[in-house]
């Protein structure tokens, strides 16, 4: 498996849904998995993930463990060669994952990769 995408969520169901739609478009042609850690959201986030994205590995915490603990929970279960920590309010371009994997595969000394981020106003 090439890529594990990890998203920590807390009460941002709408953004999470948009993020997951973009992640699965970008996963076309990539062997990967998506893990969502929900930190005890009260907005129906877990139910939405289970209904609309049954392929997601959902970790539903009973308390808000915080961002770092939640990421580490998923990292322990991740099976990808590469791990992407993605915020739930992010939309990724369709070729983003392929480009990132290609870069990492061709730069053996690289230990991490950051990408250019553009806000909703194009800046």
């Amino acid at each position: 498996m090439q890529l594990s995408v990890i998203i920590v969520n807390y009460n941002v169901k709408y953004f999470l849904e948009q993020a997951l739609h973009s992640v699965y478009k970008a996963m076309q042609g990539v062997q990967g998995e998506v893990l969502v850690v929900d930190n005890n959201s009260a907005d129906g986030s877990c139910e939405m993930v289970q209904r609309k994205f049954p392929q997601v590995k959902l970790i539903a915490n009973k308390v808000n463990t915080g961002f770092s603990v939640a990421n580490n929970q998923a990292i322990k279960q991740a099976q990808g060669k590469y791990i992407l920590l993605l915020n739930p309010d992010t939309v990724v371009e369709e070729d983003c994952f392929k480009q990132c994997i290609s870069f990492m595969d061709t730069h053996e000394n690289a230990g991490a990769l950051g990408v250019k981020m553009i806000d909703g106003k194009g800046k």
Side-chain angles (χ1 to χ4, degrees):
M1 182 172 305
Q2 294 173 295
L3 180 64
S4 295
V5 178
I6 296 172
I7 303 172
V8 174
N9 180 68
Y10 180 67
N11 285 326
V12 289
K13 176 176 76 173
Y14 173 78
F15 292 117
L16 176 61
E17 182 177 353
Q18 301 313 306
L20 288 170
H21 281 298
S22 75
V23 163
Y24 280 108
K25 283 183 184 176
M27 280 287 213
Q28 296 296 316
V30 174
Q31 290 181 331
E33 64 182 350
V34 179
L35 299 93
V36 170
V37 183
D38 185 82
N39 268 335
N40 200 31
S41 294
D43 67 350
S45 292
C46 287
E47 294 81 3
M48 180 277 296
V49 169
Q50 291 170 328
R51 188 176 70 257
K52 294 187 175 185
F53 303 94
Q55 67 274 42
V56 165
K57 294 180 182 178
L58 177 64
I59 301 169
N61 288 332
K62 300 297 182 201
V63 296
N64 186 343
T65 61
F67 185 73
S68 297
V69 169
N71 275 310
N72 286 328
Q73 283 180 277
I75 289 169
K76 288 177 185 174
Q77 294 184 26
Q79 297 178 16
K81 179 179 177 182
Y82 302 114
I83 294 176
L84 168 63
L85 304 179
L86 188 68
N87 286 340
D89 62 346
T90 305
V91 175
V92 296
E93 291 189 25
E94 291 182 22
D95 63 344
C96 180
F97 298 161
K98 289 179 186 173
Q99 287 188 35
C100 291
I101 290 168
S102 175
F103 178 89
M104 293 301 290
D105 283 348
T106 58
H107 293 83
E108 294 178 8
N109 292 331
L113 171 66
V115 298
K116 180 179 181 179
M117 295 184 288
I118 302 171
D119 68 15
K121 295 181 181 178
K123 296 184 178 190

